Amino acid sequence: SVKLVESGGGSVQAGGSLRLSCEVSGDTRTTVCMSWFRLVPGKEREGVGVIYTGSNSTRYAHSVLGRFTISMSQDNGKNILYLQMNSLKPEDTAMYYCGADRIRCPVGESRYDYDFRGRGTRVTVSS
C-alpha cells in the first residue's frame, strides 16, 4: 500500500505562487506514475501534472502548462512529490490531491480513480 499526505495549500492573490508537497510512503515498487489532480465542486476531476516514476518524464494539463511544475525528490530519506504553482489564477482555486497509480495517471478532466490518493490540501486564489 502507498500512503500520501499533502501539505502546502493556502490562500494567495492572483499572480502569486505556492508549492504543494506530498509525502510518499509505503511500497511504491509497482507504481508507474504519480500525479497532482484537483477537484472543484460541480466539475470533473482534473489531472494537472503527472510524473512517470521510471523515466521522470512529465505531462501537464493545458490549463496549467508553463505555470505549474511537478517534481519528485528525496528529503531526509523521504520521497516527496512537489507541485510548484506560479502565476496563479482564481480558476486554480480547488482542492489539490496527489495520486499514485499502477496503470495510468490521466491529464486533464477524467473520472479515473487512482489506486492511491491523499486527503488533499486546499488552494484559494483571490482576484
Side-chain angles (χ1 to χ4, degrees):
S1 183
V2 176
K3 183 178 179 183
L4 306 169
V5 181
E6 302 95 336
S7 62
S11 297
V12 64
Q13 288 194 324
S17 298
L18 282 174
R19 188 176 78 161
L20 306 183
S21 301
C22 175
E23 184 175 320
V24 183
S25 59
D27 188 356
T28 59
R29 288 176 295 175
T30 58
T31 299
V32 301
C33 55
M34 300 203 64
S35 168
W36 284 98
F37 64 94
R38 62 190 182 187
L39 280 173
V40 175
K43 292 189 176 182
E44 295 287 350
R45 177 180 306 161
E46 182 184 19
V48 297
V50 175
I51 186 165
Y52 294 91
T53 54
S55 63
N56 277 339
S57 60
T58 58
R59 294 178 63 208
Y60 297 93
H62 287 296
S63 58
V64 306
L65 196 60
R67 301 188 297 122
F68 289 12
T69 303
I70 189 171
S71 62
M72 193 149 187
S73 67
Q74 278 206 340
D75 291 319
N76 294 324
K78 297 179 181 178
N79 291 321
I80 309 291
L81 180 72
Y82 294 104
L83 184 69
Q84 178 66 45
M85 306 187 295
N86 298 329
S87 302
L88 282 161
K89 304 176 181 180
E91 51 263 43
D92 294 318
T93 295
M95 279 293 289
Y96 284 74
Y97 299 84
C98 62
D101 204 86
R102 291 166 289 194
I103 299 175
R104 59 188 289 254
C105 294
V107 169
E109 291 187 351
S110 170
R111 295 181 180 180
Y112 190 80
D113 286 328
Y114 292 85
D115 290 331
F116 308 103
R117 58 183 279 180
R119 290 192 166 190
T121 186
R122 182 171 297 280
V123 172
T124 303
V125 184
S126 58
S127 56

Coordinates of all heavy atoms in Angstrom, one line a residue, residues 21-108:
S21 N 3.3 20.0 -1.4 CA 4.2 18.9 -1.1 C 3.3 17.7 -0.8 O 2.2 17.8 -0.3 CB 5.1 19.1 0.1 OG 5.9 20.3 -0.1
C22 N 3.8 16.5 -1.2 CA 3.1 15.3 -0.9 C 4.2 14.3 -0.4 O 5.0 13.9 -1.2 CB 2.4 14.7 -2.1 SG 1.6 13.1 -1.9
E23 N 4.1 13.9 0.8 CA 5.0 12.9 1.4 C 4.5 11.5 1.0 O 3.3 11.2 1.3 CB 5.1 13.0 2.9 CG 6.1 12.1 3.5 CD 6.3 12.4 5.0 OE1 6.3 13.5 5.4 OE2 6.4 11.4 5.8
V24 N 5.4 10.8 0.4 CA 5.1 9.4 -0.1 C 5.7 8.4 0.7 O 6.9 8.4 1.0 CB 5.5 9.3 -1.6 CG1 5.1 7.9 -2.1 CG2 5.0 10.4 -2.4
S25 N 4.9 7.4 1.2 CA 5.5 6.3 2.0 C 4.8 5.0 1.6 O 3.8 5.0 1.0 CB 5.4 6.6 3.5 OG 4.0 6.7 3.8
G26 N 5.4 3.9 2.0 CA 4.9 2.6 1.7 C 5.6 2.0 0.5 O 6.7 2.5 0.0
D27 N 5.0 1.0 -0.1 CA 5.6 0.2 -1.2 C 5.2 0.8 -2.5 O 4.1 0.6 -3.0 CB 5.2 -1.2 -1.1 CG 5.9 -2.1 -2.1 OD1 6.7 -1.6 -2.9 OD2 5.7 -3.3 -2.1
T28 N 6.1 1.5 -3.2 CA 5.9 2.2 -4.4 C 6.5 1.4 -5.6 O 6.5 2.0 -6.7 CB 6.4 3.6 -4.4 OG1 7.8 3.6 -4.2 CG2 5.7 4.4 -3.3
R29 N 6.9 0.2 -5.4 CA 7.6 -0.5 -6.5 C 6.8 -0.7 -7.7 O 7.3 -0.8 -8.8 CB 8.2 -1.8 -5.9 CG 9.4 -1.7 -5.0 CD 9.8 -3.0 -4.4 NE 8.7 -3.6 -3.6 CZ 8.8 -4.8 -3.0 NH1 9.9 -5.5 -3.2 NH2 7.8 -5.2 -2.2
T30 N 5.5 -0.9 -7.5 CA 4.6 -1.2 -8.7 C 3.9 0.1 -9.2 O 3.1 0.0 -10.1 CB 3.5 -2.2 -8.3 OG1 2.8 -1.7 -7.2 CG2 4.1 -3.5 -8.0
T31 N 4.2 1.2 -8.6 CA 3.6 2.5 -9.1 C 4.3 3.0 -10.3 O 5.5 3.1 -10.3 CB 3.7 3.5 -8.0 OG1 3.0 3.1 -6.8 CG2 3.1 4.9 -8.4
V32 N 3.6 3.2 -11.4 CA 4.2 3.7 -12.6 C 4.1 5.2 -12.8 O 4.9 5.8 -13.6 CB 3.5 3.0 -13.9 CG1 3.6 1.5 -13.8 CG2 2.1 3.4 -14.0
C33 N 3.2 5.8 -12.0 CA 3.1 7.3 -12.2 C 2.6 7.9 -10.9 O 1.9 7.2 -10.1 CB 2.2 7.7 -13.4 SG 0.6 6.9 -13.3
M34 N 2.9 9.2 -10.8 CA 2.3 10.0 -9.7 C 1.8 11.3 -10.2 O 2.3 11.8 -11.2 CB 3.4 10.2 -8.6 CG 3.9 8.9 -8.0 SD 4.6 9.2 -6.4 CE 3.1 9.6 -5.5
S35 N 0.8 11.8 -9.6 CA 0.0 12.9 -10.2 C -0.4 13.9 -9.1 O -0.6 13.5 -8.0 CB -1.2 12.3 -10.9 OG -2.1 13.3 -11.3
W36 N -0.6 15.1 -9.6 CA -1.4 16.1 -8.8 C -2.7 16.3 -9.6 O -2.6 16.5 -10.8 CB -0.7 17.4 -8.7 CG 0.4 17.4 -7.7 CD1 1.8 17.2 -7.9 CD2 0.3 17.5 -6.3 NE1 2.4 17.2 -6.7 CE2 1.6 17.5 -5.7 CE3 -0.8 17.8 -5.4 CZ2 1.8 17.6 -4.3 CZ3 -0.6 17.9 -4.1 CH2 0.7 17.8 -3.5
F37 N -3.8 16.2 -8.9 CA -5.1 16.5 -9.6 C -5.9 17.4 -8.6 O -5.6 17.5 -7.4 CB -5.8 15.2 -9.9 CG -6.3 14.3 -8.8 CD1 -7.5 14.5 -8.2 CD2 -5.4 13.3 -8.3 CE1 -7.9 13.6 -7.2 CE2 -5.8 12.5 -7.3 CZ -7.1 12.7 -6.7
R38 N -6.9 18.0 -9.2 CA -7.7 18.9 -8.4 C -9.2 18.7 -8.6 O -9.6 18.2 -9.6 CB -7.3 20.4 -8.7 CG -7.5 20.8 -10.2 CD -6.9 22.2 -10.4 NE -7.1 22.7 -11.7 CZ -6.5 23.8 -12.2 NH1 -5.7 24.5 -11.5 NH2 -6.8 24.2 -13.5
L39 N -9.9 19.1 -7.6 CA -11.4 19.0 -7.6 C -12.0 20.3 -7.2 O -11.6 20.9 -6.3 CB -11.8 17.9 -6.6 CG -11.6 16.4 -7.0 CD1 -11.9 15.5 -5.8 CD2 -12.5 16.1 -8.2
V40 N -13.0 20.6 -8.0 CA -13.9 21.8 -7.8 C -15.3 21.2 -7.8 O -15.6 20.5 -8.7 CB -13.7 22.9 -8.9 CG1 -14.7 24.0 -8.6 CG2 -12.2 23.4 -8.9
P41 N -16.1 21.6 -6.8 CA -17.5 21.1 -6.8 C -18.2 21.4 -8.1 O -18.1 22.5 -8.6 CB -18.1 21.9 -5.6 CG -17.0 22.2 -4.7 CD -15.8 22.4 -5.6
G42 N -18.9 20.4 -8.6 CA -19.6 20.5 -9.8 C -18.8 20.3 -11.1 O -19.4 20.4 -12.2
K43 N -17.5 20.1 -11.0 CA -16.7 19.8 -12.1 C -16.0 18.5 -12.0 O -15.9 17.9 -11.0 CB -15.6 20.9 -12.2 CG -16.1 22.3 -12.6 CD -14.9 23.2 -12.8 CE -15.5 24.6 -13.3 NZ -14.3 25.5 -13.6
E44 N -15.5 18.0 -13.2 CA -14.8 16.8 -13.2 C -13.4 16.9 -12.6 O -12.8 18.0 -12.6 CB -14.6 16.3 -14.7 CG -15.9 15.9 -15.4 CD -16.5 14.6 -14.9 OE1 -15.8 13.9 -14.1 OE2 -17.6 14.3 -15.3
R45 N -12.9 15.9 -12.0 CA -11.6 15.8 -11.6 C -10.6 16.2 -12.7 O -10.8 15.8 -13.8 CB -11.3 14.4 -11.1 CG -9.9 14.1 -10.6 CD -9.8 12.7 -10.2 NE -10.9 12.3 -9.3 CZ -11.3 11.1 -9.0 NH1 -10.8 10.1 -9.6 NH2 -12.2 10.9 -8.1
E46 N -9.6 17.0 -12.4 CA -8.7 17.4 -13.5 C -7.2 17.1 -13.0 O -6.7 17.6 -12.1 CB -8.7 18.9 -13.7 CG -7.8 19.4 -14.8 CD -7.8 20.9 -15.0 OE1 -8.2 21.6 -14.1 OE2 -7.3 21.4 -16.1
G47 N -6.6 16.2 -13.8 CA -5.2 15.9 -13.6 C -4.4 17.1 -14.1 O -4.5 17.4 -15.3
V48 N -3.6 17.7 -13.3 CA -2.9 18.9 -13.7 C -1.4 18.6 -14.0 O -0.8 19.3 -14.9 CB -2.9 20.1 -12.7 CG1 -4.4 20.5 -12.6 CG2 -2.4 19.7 -11.3
G49 N -0.8 17.6 -13.4 CA 0.6 17.2 -13.6 C 0.8 15.8 -13.3 O 0.3 15.3 -12.3
V50 N 1.6 15.1 -14.1 CA 2.0 13.7 -13.9 C 3.5 13.6 -14.1 O 4.1 14.2 -14.9 CB 1.3 12.9 -15.0 CG1 1.7 11.4 -14.9 CG2 -0.2 13.0 -14.9
I51 N 4.0 12.7 -13.2 CA 5.4 12.3 -13.4 C 5.5 10.8 -13.4 O 4.9 10.1 -12.6 CB 6.3 12.9 -12.3 CG1 7.8 12.6 -12.6 CG2 5.9 12.5 -10.9 CD1 8.7 13.5 -11.7
Y52 N 6.2 10.3 -14.4 CA 6.4 8.8 -14.5 C 7.6 8.4 -13.8 O 8.7 8.9 -14.0 CB 6.4 8.4 -16.0 CG 5.1 8.7 -16.7 CD1 4.9 10.0 -17.3 CD2 4.1 7.8 -16.7 CE1 3.7 10.3 -17.9 CE2 2.9 8.1 -17.3 CZ 2.7 9.3 -17.9 OH 1.5 9.6 -18.4
T53 N 7.4 7.4 -12.8 CA 8.4 7.1 -11.9 C 9.6 6.4 -12.5 O 10.8 6.5 -12.0 CB 7.9 6.2 -10.8 OG1 7.2 5.1 -11.4 CG2 6.8 6.9 -9.9
G54 N 9.4 5.7 -13.7 CA 10.6 5.1 -14.3 C 11.5 6.0 -15.0 O 12.7 5.9 -15.0
S55 N 10.9 7.0 -15.7 CA 11.6 7.9 -16.6 C 11.8 9.3 -16.1 O 12.6 10.1 -16.6 CB 11.0 7.9 -18.0 OG 9.7 8.5 -17.9
N56 N 11.0 9.6 -15.1 CA 10.9 11.0 -14.6 C 10.4 12.0 -15.7 O 10.5 13.2 -15.5 CB 12.2 11.5 -14.1 CG 12.5 11.1 -12.6 OD1 11.6 10.8 -11.9 ND2 13.7 11.1 -12.3
S57 N 9.8 11.5 -16.7 CA 9.1 12.4 -17.7 C 7.8 12.9 -17.1 O 7.3 12.3 -16.2 CB 8.9 11.6 -19.0 OG 8.0 10.5 -18.8
T58 N 7.4 14.1 -17.6 CA 6.3 14.8 -17.1 C 5.3 15.1 -18.1 O 5.6 15.2 -19.3 CB 6.7 16.0 -16.3 OG1 7.4 16.9 -17.2 CG2 7.6 15.7 -15.1
R59 N 4.1 15.3 -17.7 CA 3.0 15.8 -18.6 C 2.1 16.8 -17.8 O 2.0 16.7 -16.6 CB 2.1 14.7 -19.1 CG 2.8 13.7 -20.0 CD 1.8 12.6 -20.4 NE 0.7 13.1 -21.1 CZ -0.5 12.5 -21.1 NH1 -0.7 11.5 -20.4 NH2 -1.5 13.0 -21.9
Y60 N 1.5 17.7 -18.5 CA 0.7 18.8 -17.8 C -0.6 19.0 -18.6 O -0.7 18.8 -19.8 CB 1.5 20.1 -17.8 CG 2.7 20.0 -16.9 CD1 3.9 19.7 -17.5 CD2 2.7 20.2 -15.6 CE1 5.1 19.6 -16.8 CE2 3.8 20.1 -14.8 CZ 5.0 19.8 -15.4 OH 6.2 19.7 -14.7
A61 N -1.6 19.4 -17.9 CA -2.8 19.8 -18.5 C -2.6 21.2 -19.2 O -1.8 22.0 -18.7 CB -3.9 20.0 -17.4
H62 N -3.3 21.4 -20.2 CA -3.2 22.7 -21.0 C -3.5 23.9 -20.1 O -2.9 24.9 -20.3 CB -4.1 22.7 -22.2 CG -3.7 21.8 -23.3 ND1 -2.5 21.9 -24.0 CD2 -4.3 20.6 -23.8 CE1 -2.4 21.0 -24.9 NE2 -3.4 20.2 -24.8
S63 N -4.4 23.7 -19.1 CA -4.8 24.8 -18.3 C -3.6 25.3 -17.4 O -3.7 26.4 -16.9 CB -6.0 24.4 -17.4 OG -5.7 23.3 -16.6
V64 N -2.6 24.5 -17.2 CA -1.5 24.9 -16.3 C -0.2 24.9 -16.9 O 0.8 25.2 -16.3 CB -1.5 24.0 -15.0 CG1 -2.8 23.9 -14.3 CG2 -1.0 22.6 -15.4
L65 N -0.1 24.5 -18.2 CA 1.1 24.4 -18.9 C 1.9 25.7 -18.9 O 1.3 26.8 -19.1 CB 0.9 24.0 -20.4 CG 2.0 23.5 -21.2 CD1 2.6 22.2 -20.5 CD2 1.6 23.2 -22.6
G66 N 3.2 25.6 -18.5 CA 4.0 26.8 -18.4 C 3.9 27.5 -17.0 O 4.7 28.4 -16.7
R67 N 3.0 27.1 -16.2 CA 2.8 27.8 -14.9 C 3.1 26.8 -13.7 O 3.6 27.2 -12.7 CB 1.4 28.3 -14.7 CG 1.0 29.3 -15.8 CD -0.4 30.0 -15.4 NE -1.5 29.0 -15.4 CZ -2.3 28.8 -14.4 NH1 -2.1 29.4 -13.3 NH2 -3.2 27.9 -14.5
F68 N 2.8 25.5 -13.9 CA 3.0 24.5 -12.8 C 4.1 23.6 -13.2 O 4.3 23.3 -14.4 CB 1.7 23.7 -12.7 CG 0.5 24.4 -12.1 CD1 0.5 25.8 -11.9 CD2 -0.6 23.7 -11.6 CE1 -0.6 26.4 -11.3 CE2 -1.7 24.3 -11.1 CZ -1.7 25.7 -10.9
T69 N 4.8 23.1 -12.2 CA 5.9 22.2 -12.4 C 5.8 21.1 -11.4 O 5.8 21.4 -10.2 CB 7.3 22.9 -12.3 OG1 7.4 23.9 -13.2 CG2 8.4 21.8 -12.6
I70 N 5.8 19.8 -11.8 CA 5.7 18.7 -10.9 C 7.1 18.1 -10.8 O 7.9 18.1 -11.8 CB 4.7 17.6 -11.4 CG1 4.5 16.5 -10.4 CG2 5.1 17.0 -12.8 CD1 3.4 15.6 -10.7
S71 N 7.5 17.7 -9.7 CA 8.8 17.1 -9.5 C 8.8 16.2 -8.3 O 7.9 16.2 -7.5 CB 9.9 18.2 -9.3 OG 9.6 18.9 -8.1
M72 N 9.9 15.4 -8.2 CA 9.9 14.4 -7.1 C 11.4 14.4 -6.6 O 12.3 14.4 -7.4 CB 9.5 13.0 -7.5 CG 9.3 12.1 -6.4 SD 8.0 10.9 -6.9 CE 7.8 10.1 -5.3
S73 N 11.5 14.4 -5.3 CA 12.9 14.3 -4.7 C 12.9 13.6 -3.4 O 11.8 13.2 -2.9 CB 13.5 15.7 -4.5 OG 12.7 16.4 -3.5
Q74 N 14.1 13.4 -2.9 CA 14.2 12.8 -1.5 C 14.7 13.8 -0.6 O 15.7 14.5 -0.8 CB 15.2 11.6 -1.6 CG 14.6 10.3 -2.1 CD 15.3 9.1 -1.6 OE1 16.5 9.2 -1.2 NE2 14.7 8.0 -1.6
D75 N 14.0 13.9 0.6 CA 14.4 14.9 1.6 C 14.4 14.1 2.9 O 13.4 13.5 3.4 CB 13.4 16.0 1.8 CG 13.4 17.0 0.6 OD1 14.5 17.3 0.1 OD2 12.3 17.4 0.2
N76 N 15.6 14.0 3.5 CA 15.8 13.3 4.7 C 15.3 11.8 4.6 O 14.7 11.3 5.5 CB 15.1 14.0 5.9 CG 15.8 15.3 6.2 OD1 17.0 15.5 6.1 ND2 14.9 16.3 6.6
G77 N 15.6 11.2 3.5 CA 15.2 9.8 3.3 C 13.8 9.6 2.9 O 13.4 8.5 2.7
K78 N 13.0 10.7 2.8 CA 11.6 10.6 2.4 C 11.4 11.0 1.0 O 12.0 12.0 0.5 CB 10.7 11.4 3.4 CG 10.8 11.0 4.8 CD 9.9 12.0 5.7 CE 10.0 11.6 7.1 NZ 9.2 12.5 8.0
N79 N 10.5 10.3 0.3 CA 10.1 10.7 -1.1 C 9.1 11.8 -1.0 O 8.0 11.6 -0.3 CB 9.6 9.5 -1.9 CG 10.7 8.5 -2.2 OD1 11.9 8.9 -2.5 ND2 10.4 7.2 -2.1
I80 N 9.3 12.9 -1.7 CA 8.4 14.0 -1.7 C 8.0 14.3 -3.1 O 8.9 14.5 -4.0 CB 8.9 15.2 -1.0 CG1 9.5 14.9 0.4 CG2 7.9 16.3 -0.9 CD1 8.5 14.6 1.4
L81 N 6.7 14.4 -3.4 CA 6.2 14.9 -4.7 C 5.8 16.3 -4.5 O 5.1 16.7 -3.6 CB 5.0 14.0 -5.1 CG 4.3 14.4 -6.4 CD1 5.2 13.9 -7.6 CD2 3.0 13.8 -6.5
Y82 N 6.3 17.2 -5.4 CA 6.0 18.6 -5.3 C 5.2 19.1 -6.5 O 5.2 18.5 -7.6 CB 7.4 19.4 -5.4 CG 8.2 19.2 -4.2 CD1 9.4 18.4 -4.2 CD2 7.9 19.8 -2.9 CE1 10.2 18.2 -3.1 CE2 8.8 19.6 -1.8 CZ 9.9 18.8 -1.9 OH 10.7 18.6 -0.9
L83 N 4.5 20.2 -6.3 CA 3.8 20.9 -7.4 C 4.1 22.4 -7.1 O 3.6 23.0 -6.2 CB 2.3 20.6 -7.4 CG 1.6 21.3 -8.6 CD1 2.1 20.6 -9.9 CD2 0.1 21.2 -8.5
Q84 N 5.0 22.9 -7.9 CA 5.3 24.4 -7.9 C 4.3 25.1 -8.8 O 4.2 24.8 -10.0 CB 6.7 24.7 -8.4 CG 7.0 26.1 -8.4 CD 7.1 26.8 -7.0 OE1 7.6 26.2 -6.1 NE2 6.5 27.9 -6.9
M85 N 3.5 26.0 -8.2 CA 2.4 26.7 -8.9 C 2.8 28.1 -9.0 O 2.8 28.8 -7.9 CB 1.1 26.4 -8.2 CG 0.8 25.0 -8.0 SD -0.9 24.7 -7.4 CE -0.8 25.5 -5.8
N86 N 3.0 28.7 -10.1 CA 3.3 30.1 -10.3 C 2.2 30.8 -11.1 O 1.4 30.1 -11.8 CB 4.6 30.2 -11.1 CG 5.8 29.7 -10.3 OD1 5.8 29.7 -9.1 ND2 6.8 29.1 -11.0
S87 N 2.2 32.1 -11.1 CA 1.2 32.8 -11.9 C -0.2 32.3 -11.6 O -1.0 32.1 -12.6 CB 1.5 32.8 -13.4 OG 2.8 33.3 -13.6
L88 N -0.5 32.1 -10.4 CA -1.8 31.5 -10.0 C -3.0 32.4 -10.4 O -2.9 33.7 -10.4 CB -1.9 31.2 -8.5 CG -1.1 30.0 -8.1 CD1 -0.8 30.0 -6.6 CD2 -1.9 28.7 -8.5
K89 N -4.1 31.8 -10.8 CA -5.3 32.4 -11.3 C -6.5 32.0 -10.4 O -6.4 30.9 -9.8 CB -5.6 32.0 -12.7 CG -4.5 32.3 -13.7 CD -4.9 31.8 -15.1 CE -3.8 32.0 -16.1 NZ -4.2 31.4 -17.4
P90 N -7.5 32.9 -10.3 CA -8.7 32.5 -9.5 C -9.2 31.1 -9.9 O -9.7 30.4 -9.0 CB -9.6 33.6 -9.7 CG -8.8 34.8 -10.0 CD -7.6 34.2 -10.8
E91 N -9.2 30.8 -11.1 CA -9.7 29.5 -11.6 C -8.8 28.3 -11.2 O -9.2 27.1 -11.4 CB -9.9 29.5 -13.1 CG -8.7 29.9 -13.9 CD -8.7 31.4 -14.3 OE1 -9.1 32.2 -13.5 OE2 -8.4 31.7 -15.5
D92 N -7.7 28.6 -10.5 CA -6.9 27.5 -9.9 C -7.4 27.1 -8.6 O -6.9 26.1 -8.0 CB -5.4 27.9 -9.9 CG -4.8 28.1 -11.2 OD1 -5.0 27.2 -12.1 OD2 -4.0 29.0 -11.4
T93 N -8.3 27.8 -8.0 CA -8.9 27.5 -6.7 C -9.5 26.1 -6.7 O -10.4 25.8 -7.6 CB -9.9 28.6 -6.3 OG1 -9.3 29.9 -6.2 CG2 -10.6 28.2 -5.0
A94 N -9.1 25.3 -5.8 CA -9.6 23.9 -5.8 C -9.0 23.2 -4.6 O -8.1 23.7 -3.9 CB -9.2 23.2 -7.1
M95 N -9.5 22.0 -4.4 CA -8.8 21.0 -3.5 C -7.8 20.3 -4.4 O -8.1 19.7 -5.4 CB -9.7 20.0 -2.9 CG -10.5 20.6 -1.7 SD -9.4 20.8 -0.3 CE -9.0 19.2 0.2
Y96 N -6.5 20.2 -3.9 CA -5.5 19.6 -4.7 C -5.1 18.3 -4.0 O -4.9 18.2 -2.8 CB -4.3 20.5 -4.8 CG -4.5 21.5 -5.9 CD1 -5.3 22.6 -5.6 CD2 -3.8 21.5 -7.1 CE1 -5.5 23.6 -6.6 CE2 -4.0 22.4 -8.1 CZ -4.8 23.5 -7.8 OH -5.0 24.5 -8.8
Y97 N -5.0 17.2 -4.8 CA -4.7 15.9 -4.2 C -3.4 15.3 -5.0 O -3.3 15.6 -6.2 CB -5.8 14.9 -4.5 CG -7.1 15.3 -3.8 CD1 -8.0 16.2 -4.4 CD2 -7.5 14.8 -2.5 CE1 -9.2 16.6 -3.8 CE2 -8.7 15.1 -1.9 CZ -9.5 16.0 -2.6 OH -10.7 16.3 -2.0
C98 N -2.7 14.5 -4.3 CA -1.7 13.7 -5.0 C -2.2 12.3 -5.1 O -2.9 11.8 -4.2 CB -0.3 13.8 -4.4 SG -0.1 13.1 -2.7
G99 N -1.9 11.7 -6.2 CA -2.4 10.4 -6.5 C -1.2 9.5 -7.0 O -0.2 10.0 -7.6
A100 N -1.3 8.2 -6.9 CA -0.4 7.3 -7.4 C -1.1 6.1 -8.0 O -2.2 5.7 -7.5 CB 0.6 6.8 -6.3
D101 N -0.6 5.6 -9.1 CA -1.3 4.5 -9.8 C -0.4 3.5 -10.4 O 0.8 3.8 -10.7 CB -2.2 5.1 -10.9 CG -3.4 4.2 -11.2 OD1 -4.4 4.3 -10.5 OD2 -3.3 3.4 -12.1
R102 N -0.9 2.3 -10.5 CA -0.1 1.2 -11.1 C -0.3 1.0 -12.6 O 0.4 0.3 -13.2 CB -0.4 -0.1 -10.4 CG 0.0 -0.1 -8.9 CD -0.6 -1.3 -8.2 NE -2.0 -1.0 -7.9 CZ -2.7 -1.7 -7.0 NH1 -2.1 -2.7 -6.3 NH2 -4.0 -1.4 -6.8
I103 N -1.2 1.8 -13.2 CA -1.5 1.7 -14.6 C -1.4 3.0 -15.4 O -0.6 3.1 -16.3 CB -2.9 1.1 -14.8 CG1 -3.0 -0.3 -14.2 CG2 -3.2 1.0 -16.3 CD1 -4.4 -0.9 -14.3
R104 N -2.1 4.0 -14.9 CA -2.1 5.3 -15.6 C -2.5 6.4 -14.7 O -3.1 6.3 -13.7 CB -3.1 5.2 -16.8 CG -4.5 4.9 -16.5 CD -5.3 4.7 -17.7 NE -5.5 5.9 -18.5 CZ -6.7 6.6 -18.5 NH1 -7.7 6.2 -17.8 NH2 -6.8 7.7 -19.2
C105 N -2.1 7.7 -15.2 CA -2.4 8.9 -14.5 C -2.9 9.9 -15.5 O -2.1 10.5 -16.2 CB -1.2 9.5 -13.8 SG -0.6 8.4 -12.4
P106 N -4.2 10.0 -15.7 CA -4.7 10.9 -16.7 C -4.4 12.4 -16.5 O -4.3 12.9 -15.4 CB -6.2 10.7 -16.6 CG -6.4 9.5 -15.8 CD -5.2 9.4 -14.9
V107 N -4.2 13.1 -17.6 CA -4.0 14.5 -17.6 C -5.3 15.1 -18.2 O -5.9 14.6 -19.1 CB -2.8 14.9 -18.5 CG1 -2.8 16.4 -18.7 CG2 -1.5 14.5 -17.8
G108 N -5.7 16.2 -17.5 CA -7.0 16.8 -18.0 C -8.2 16.2 -17.2 O -8.0 15.5 -16.2

